[in-house]
């Protein structure tokens, strides 16, 4: 009688009320009541009933996957010993710092580690830009919005009425809006709390940490055995040797292997192989400089021996220009040696010169982008810059044509004025029979015509 006379059943009523507190549910007769609920399922939505454990599982399913991770480098080479050491060290400690100067491939190493360890080692991998507090807060806000629950097909009821105004249909957007309205401290605390309560093994990566104390504000305390934290930075605090993995340059064999992997076919001949060994030594086995050189060889279809010759010629021009200008000897960034700094600059100069020959507009856009941070330079930004550059060039071309047209008109006018002045001067000379006054007047008219030009 209760089932027949009660109306307004919600599709979530059987989910929201635990069985132990349902006033009409008796444990000894739960099977009878279940059969009755199923018989009147058109009213009770018996088929939508979920066990509480399923809600917990759905919560943990939302905290799975790869978030913010950079694309995997298909040309990743070597570092197998470092990858094994990363896994071994993280088994002993929950936090590890990968330190080394710029261009060594710290980000690439951690990216490869994340892809290799997911999903067998970690169910959730979160990659954060830790260059500043603002970038970390922005990533945490987006992470919390992405974690906001969204209704599944089983959670959204299908009815004849409009479902756009259904509370269930707007659950995801409401939760996302609530996450956006939270303060910075509330967002940080919420993310840390969820990670602490998560039963899924997770890995949190703080990339490019500029300030050692900055990440402490965002790190969850008590990660235990479920969570690990990986950081990359140029410098390592002196007191953290047991939690630091120092990264160095490639060995020569891996350097040559990287060139061959990025630019296949350009180091295959004996002459090119010898040039590759010389080139990696010249570049100091720095992965960033090697990658730039290999990309140039592949893009310009230049064998390694020819690239080495071009590199030497470029170095000669740089040396001559630096000797004549003291301002060209730029200091290296902190954490970098001058030798590695100039190896990157020299290999990059060849690429920039080639880009300028092929597409001057693209080179000008690159110079503009050099004033921006690299992380937020999207395709849309580049596309807008190129469009604006074309518009500016078109306006400049129209102005140049207008100037040329005005100059042509001015020249024609000046020629007419000069002709008029000359003819007038000739008449004066004839009128005065070549006298001195006629010559002076003719000279004055001719000078006035020339001044008009």
């Amino acid at each position: 009688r209760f089932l027949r006379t009660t109306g307004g059943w919600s599709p979530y009523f059987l989910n929201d009320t635990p069985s132990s507190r349902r006033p009409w549910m008796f444990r000894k007769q739960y099977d009878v009541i279940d059969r009755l609920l199923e018989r009147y399922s058109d009213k009770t939505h018996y088929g939508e009933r979920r066990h509480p454990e399923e809600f917990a599982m759905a919560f943990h399913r939302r905290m799975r996957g790869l978030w913010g991770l950079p694309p995997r480098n298909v040309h990743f080479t070597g570092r197998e010993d470092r990858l094994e050491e990363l896994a071994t060290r993280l088994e002993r400690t929950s936090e590890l710092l990968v330190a080394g100067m710029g261009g060594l491939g710290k980000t690439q190493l951690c990216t490869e580690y994340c892809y290799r360890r997911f999903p067998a080692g970690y169910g959730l991998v979160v990659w954060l830009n830790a260059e500043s507090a603002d970038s970390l807060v922005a990533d945490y806000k987006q992470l919390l919005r992405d974690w906001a629950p969204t209704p599944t097909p089983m959670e959204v009821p299908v009815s004849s009425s409009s479902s756009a105004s259904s509370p269930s249909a707007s659950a995801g957007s409401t939760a996302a809006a609530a996450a956006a309205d939270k303060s910075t401290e509330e967002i940080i605390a919420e993310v840390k709390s969820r990670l602490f309560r998560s039963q899924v093994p997770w890995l949190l990566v703080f990339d490019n940490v500029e300030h050692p104390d900055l990440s402490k504000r965002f790190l969850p305390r008590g990660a235990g055995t479920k969570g690990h934290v990986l950081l990359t930075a140029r410098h390592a605090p002196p007191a953290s040797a047991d939690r630091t993995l120092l990264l160095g340059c490639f060995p020569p064999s891996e350097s040559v292997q990287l060139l061959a992997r990025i630019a296949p076919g350009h180091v295959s001949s004996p002459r090119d192989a010898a040039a590759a060994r010389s080139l990696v030594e010249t570049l100091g086995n720095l992965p960033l400089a090697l990658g730039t050189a290999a990309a140039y060889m592949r893009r310009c279809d230049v064998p390694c021996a020819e690239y080495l010759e071009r590199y030497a010629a470029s170095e000669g021009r740089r040396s001559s220009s630096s000797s004549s200008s003291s301002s060209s000897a730029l200091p290296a960034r902190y954490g970098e040696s001058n030798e590695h700094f100039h190896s990157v600059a020299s290999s990059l100069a060849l690429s920039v010169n080639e880009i300028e020959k092929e597409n001057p507009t693209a080179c000008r856009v690159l110079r503009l982008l050099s004033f921006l941070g690299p992380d937020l330079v999207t395709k849309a930004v580049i596309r807008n810059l190129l469009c604006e550059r074309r518009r500016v060039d078109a306006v400049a071309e129209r102005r140049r044509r207008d100037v040329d047209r005005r100059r042509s008109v001015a020249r024609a006018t000046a020629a007419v004025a000069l002709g008029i002045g000359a003819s007038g001067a000739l008449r004066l000379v004839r009128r005065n029979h070549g006298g001195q006054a006629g010559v002076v007047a003719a000279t004055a008219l001719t000078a006035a015509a020339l001044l008009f030009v």
Side-chain angles (χ1 to χ4, degrees), residues 160-328:
S160 57
S161 61
S162 175
S163 60
S165 59
S166 171
S168 304
S170 60
S173 59
T174 303
D181 292 339
K182 292 184 178 181
S183 66
T184 298
E185 295 302 325
E186 288 175 337
I187 289 174
I188 296 174
E190 176 70 15
V191 173
K192 291 164 65 173
S193 174
R194 290 197 180 194
L195 290 172
F196 180 78
R197 291 183 287 113
S198 174
Q199 298 301 311
V200 177
W202 51 265
L203 175 64
L204 206 60
V205 183
F206 290 82
D207 186 38
N208 197 19
V209 178
E210 293 286 349
H211 305 285
D213 298 333
L214 181 62
S215 58
K216 296 180 181 178
R217 176 187 173 194
F218 297 86
L219 289 176
R221 297 181 181 180
T225 59
K226 289 296 183 183
H228 291 152
V229 177
L230 195 57
L231 305 96
T232 69
R234 294 177 183 269
H235 291 282
S240 62
D242 56 333
R243 293 188 174 184
T244 302
L245 176 64
L246 295 176
L247 199 62
C249 291
F250 273 155
S253 59
E254 291 186 358
S255 298
V256 175
Q257 184 182 357
L258 179 63
L259 291 178
R261 179 166 293 183
I262 298 179
H266 295 78
V267 293
S268 54
S269 68
R271 181 169 177 263
D272 291 330
R277 291 190 292 269
S278 177
L279 178 62
V280 299
E281 182 180 356
T282 303
L283 297 179
N285 295 289
L286 187 67
L288 178 58
L290 294 169
T292 305
Y296 180 96
M297 285 185 268
R298 184 181 61 185
R299 178 67 178 82
C300 301
D301 196 17
V302 173
C304 189
E306 184 177 347
Y307 176 85
L308 185 59
E309 294 174 359
R310 296 186 183 185
Y311 180 87
S314 176
E315 274 288 274
R317 290 191 296 269
R318 283 171 53 84
S319 299
S320 62
S321 62
S322 61
S323 60
S324 60
S325 175
S326 59
S327 62
S328 61

